[in-house]
Amino acid sequence: METFQFGEEIQSLMSVVPPPEAGNSFTALLELPANQAVKLLHDETAPNTLSSSVFPVMETDNSLEMTSSIVPNSSPNNFNLVKEEPIDSESLRNSSPNPSDPIISKSTKRKEREKNVKSSMKKSKHVSNEDEGEELPYVHVRARRGQATDSHSLAERARREKINARMKLLQELVPGCNKISGTAMVLDEIINHVQSLQRQVEFLSMRLAAVHPNIDINLDNIFSAESGSLMECSFPAMVTPQPLSHQLWQPDGLTPQPLWGVEDMNTNFITPENSLLSYDSSGNSAENGIMKTWEF
Amino acid sequence: MYTSSKLKREFYKKWVKGLQICCSSKKKMDILERKKKIRLCADIALASAKNVTTSWSIALIYEAQKDDENKILVDNLIGPELRLKPQNTTRQMIACHKRVRSNKILKKSRHVGQRMRKKCPPKPNLATYIAKTLVKKRTRLLKTLVPGGESMDEYSLIKEALDYILSLRVQVDVMKSLVNATEVLNQSDSKIFE
């Protein structure tokens, strides 16, 4: 169904004559020549295929470029490996970047390395002094051969790359996004994911409303030690990771009101706050009552 | 997908607390009202469970506060010191973003003319245009989904979306386990009373 919609959208757009836009936006990503854009988004291609056409200038720096562009997709462990890559004539003079933000600092490190390479290149533009930190506000960007060198496009390119890095993070977060290439479809997936999560919350709250005659959802009774099976059900659901994609809400209708006086017993007691993983064993008589019923 | 249990615990605590507050006010509520209250409490609890306040959480709380009857609930859940903050910061954020956007528009209009004269305009590429429009549509849609997303540029929108997705997952997990727990409780009790 989604591909069908895509086809319709594309057809409707094809009929419009496009005006040239100054893309100072997210979509400026797409101003890049197509192969570059694809290669920026595609990180799983092997190092060999990322040929020097993508990074045309750095013949010497090629190996470094390849590895640094692939790294963002991998875990922080591999980050250390890349750091130890043999660097010929240069040393990383930056302080070690914040490991919690490897991707964004990686792109700035790449640019730093570009700067250090001695080669005859077009003049570069230093935006400002770099400030290492969580969010790097200033980025040293160097013009690559064959690309415009005025400050606007450089700033735009830096911005685009920041956005790309974040998009990669999102791709890893949302299940099933790693295989997709192209900003539009990834965004599609993200939107679907957010919508499905919101819908799930809606349905679950409806279900809870159906189950509880009053909304004082008091779960002290769950923590009685005797009910082993109950613990196994609720706690694993809480603590272990769950594949969300498999858990669609089955619309099984509203559950009938339960015939249990247990709930009424609980509402009479104004119990103190319990965290879900602590036991309230201080002689709560509701619990004792329930424990007795379970001994049968 | 991993969701942090600490956040879950925080969220759950606040949620139950909020529900108890709701319960103490009225006695009889039909199912839709109950659902709304549950959802509301869950949202507010989610927004306040994080230590680091993100703009979507601030926006959520701000939205909830607009309703008069929810104010008491929000106050008790969040605490009085945070109550004033959302109103100021949201307005500031919106004003700031509008200013930023209007500045950008001014700048663009100034430079576009110069650039048109300097170099020939880029050839209108149909594929690029289509791709750009598609992406624009989707960013607009994402902006409507993420609370407080309208007044954000794309860069921070992605960050907010990331955060929001994580928190939504926490919410869903906690609610699911609660539903499971009550269902098992129902079953075991109905067996006993038979």
Side-chain angles (χ1 to χ4, degrees):
Chain A
M1 169 110 149
E2 273 152 9
T3 49
F4 182 58
Q5 279 177 350
F6 249 121
E8 276 188 355
E9 282 187 84
I10 292 175
Q11 277 177 15
S12 65
L13 288 170
M14 292 250 267
S15 53
V16 180
V17 178
E21 297 180 59
N24 187 19
S25 74
F26 192 12
T27 61
L29 157 71
L30 302 159
E31 278 176 356
L32 288 174
N35 57 346
Q36 259 193 353
V38 164
K39 295 232 165 92
L40 270 181
L41 290 172
H42 250 307
D43 271 333
E44 52 243 63
T45 53
N48 300 329
T49 61
L50 280 174
S51 62
S52 50
S53 65
V54 176
F55 300 101
V57 186
M58 322 280 149
E59 295 307 320
T60 57
D61 232 5
N62 231 357
S63 57
L64 289 174
E65 292 297 332
M66 301 310 119
T67 49
S68 67
S69 66
I70 298 172
V71 154
N73 222 2
S74 53
S75 65
N77 295 334
N78 297 340
F79 177 60
N80 297 328
L81 289 175
V82 175
K83 267 182 79 171
E84 282 145 5
E85 281 281 341
I87 301 167
D88 296 323
S89 57
E90 44 198 60
S91 57
L92 291 171
R93 53 187 163 91
N94 293 339
S95 51
S96 60
N98 202 341
S100 67
D101 207 14
I103 293 173
I104 298 183
S105 56
K106 208 66 190 106
S107 54
T108 55
K109 276 170 77 72
R110 195 187 332 156
K111 289 174 183 103
E112 280 284 314
R113 268 184 253 144
E114 284 182 41
K115 236 172 39 111
N116 292 340
V117 167
K118 306 169 208 104
S119 55
S120 58
M121 285 177 42
K122 296 205 173 170
K123 63 181 187 305
S124 68
K125 174 97 182 171
H126 287 257
V127 178
S128 109
N129 248 337
E130 201 175 279
D131 195 14
E132 281 286 359
E134 268 273 304
E135 276 289 302
L136 303 157
Y138 293 115
V139 161
H140 285 278
V141 182
R142 196 143 212 215
R144 305 197 187 114
R145 188 190 292 172
Q147 294 194 344
T149 55
D150 59 326
S151 63
H152 297 289
S153 44
L154 278 174
E156 266 183 43
R157 190 153 18 100
R159 200 167 159 272
R160 259 181 262 149
E161 301 201 357
K162 276 202 304 187
I163 289 181
N164 279 350
R166 286 242 166 113
M167 286 285 294
K168 276 178 215 150
L169 270 179
L170 262 181
Q171 271 187 302
E172 285 168 23
L173 189 68
V174 177
C177 256
N178 285 325
K179 315 273 168 32
I180 303 181
S181 67
T183 324
M185 317 234 354
V186 168
L187 279 177
D188 225 15
E189 283 299 311
I190 294 167
I191 287 173
N192 279 339
H193 194 54
V194 170
Q195 276 175 340
S196 78
L197 281 174
Q198 284 177 338
R199 256 180 275 138
Q200 274 183 337
V201 169
E202 193 78 18
F203 288 154
L204 282 171
S205 58
M206 186 61 149
R207 225 163 142 185
L208 278 175
V211 163
H212 293 271
N214 55 349
I215 61 176
D216 184 12
I217 300 176
N218 203 340
L219 285 184
D220 297 331
N221 44 26
I222 294 212
F223 301 124
S224 56
E226 258 57 61
S227 63
S229 61
L230 200 53
M231 302 287 277
E232 281 145 30
C233 291
S234 55
F235 277 60
M238 192 72 173
V239 172
T240 60
Q242 286 179 342
L244 268 180
S245 49
H246 301 314
Q247 273 150 0
L248 302 172
W249 186 71
Q250 291 99 23
D252 53 356
L254 304 174
T255 55
Q257 292 294 331
L259 265 185
W260 38 325
V262 171
E263 188 76 330
D264 296 326
M265 268 172 24
N266 276 337
T267 58
N268 296 333
F269 298 95
I270 301 177
T271 56
E273 281 287 316
N274 286 335
S275 77
L276 196 60
L277 300 177
S278 69
Y279 291 178
D280 185 21
S281 55
S282 56
N284 186 356
S285 49
E287 262 187 29
N288 294 338
I290 294 158
M291 277 158 59
K292 279 186 195 152
T293 58
W294 277 323
E295 272 172 296
F296 281 23
Chain B
M1 304 287 149
Y2 175 70
T3 46
S4 81
S5 54
K6 183 178 161 213
L7 190 60
K8 279 183 192 168
R9 260 176 269 164
E10 268 297 310
F11 164 67
Y12 179 69
K13 266 196 248 181
K14 294 212 165 168
W15 186 33
V16 171
K17 187 174 166 197
L19 284 175
Q20 282 174 345
I21 295 173
C22 274
C23 182
S24 61
S25 56
K26 273 195 215 173
K27 273 303 160 189
K28 290 287 179 194
M29 278 191 268
D30 71 330
I31 186 168
L32 285 175
E33 278 192 40
R34 284 205 300 263
K35 179 204 89 164
K36 272 192 213 154
K37 286 289 178 191
I38 291 176
R39 176 89 203 259
L40 179 70
C41 287
D43 285 340
I44 298 178
L46 190 67
S48 59
K50 302 165 60 83
N51 285 330
V52 180
T53 46
T54 49
S55 60
W56 68 261
S57 59
I58 294 177
L60 250 186
I61 295 173
Y62 182 63
E63 280 298 317
Q65 274 186 332
K66 279 190 187 167
D67 211 359
D68 277 330
E69 63 177 40
N70 295 336
K71 256 191 182 169
I72 314 165
L73 173 66
V74 175
D75 278 348
N76 286 336
L77 270 185
I78 300 179
E81 69 279 351
L82 277 180
R83 196 182 129 219
L84 294 174
K85 231 173 65 169
Q87 291 178 342
N88 291 340
T89 52
T90 330
R91 272 196 227 120
Q92 275 175 12
M93 271 185 342
I94 295 176
C96 165
H97 285 291
K98 282 197 182 149
R99 236 186 297 134
V100 166
R101 248 189 287 156
S102 55
N103 280 346
K104 279 190 188 167
I105 293 172
L106 275 178
K107 261 203 249 174
K108 261 198 222 178
S109 58
R110 251 186 286 144
H111 287 287
V112 159
Q114 293 176 7
R115 271 196 245 167
M116 295 288 275
R117 271 176 264 135
K118 265 192 208 172
K119 53 182 182 182
C120 52
K123 228 174 18 171
N125 191 354
L126 190 63
T128 334
Y129 173 71
I130 291 174
K132 267 197 247 180
T133 328
L134 287 177
V135 170
K136 267 204 190 138
K137 263 196 203 173
R138 277 147 182 82
T139 44
R140 232 179 296 145
L141 193 53
L142 191 60
K143 280 187 183 179
T144 58
L145 279 181
V146 175
E150 279 87 14
S151 53
M152 274 192 240
D153 60 324
E154 281 103 4
Y155 185 56
S156 31
L157 179 68
I158 298 182
K159 179 174 161 215
E160 293 299 317
L162 264 173
D163 216 37
Y164 187 54
I165 288 178
L166 281 173
S167 323
L168 272 182
R169 278 202 194 145
V170 163
Q171 201 177 15
V172 166
D173 278 346
V174 169
M175 290 175 100
K176 254 185 215 162
S177 50
L178 187 59
V179 168
N180 286 341
T182 50
E183 277 188 351
V184 172
L185 199 60
N186 281 356
Q187 285 173 9
S188 64
D189 281 340
S190 58
K191 278 183 200 153
I192 287 167
F193 286 127
E194 271 166 13

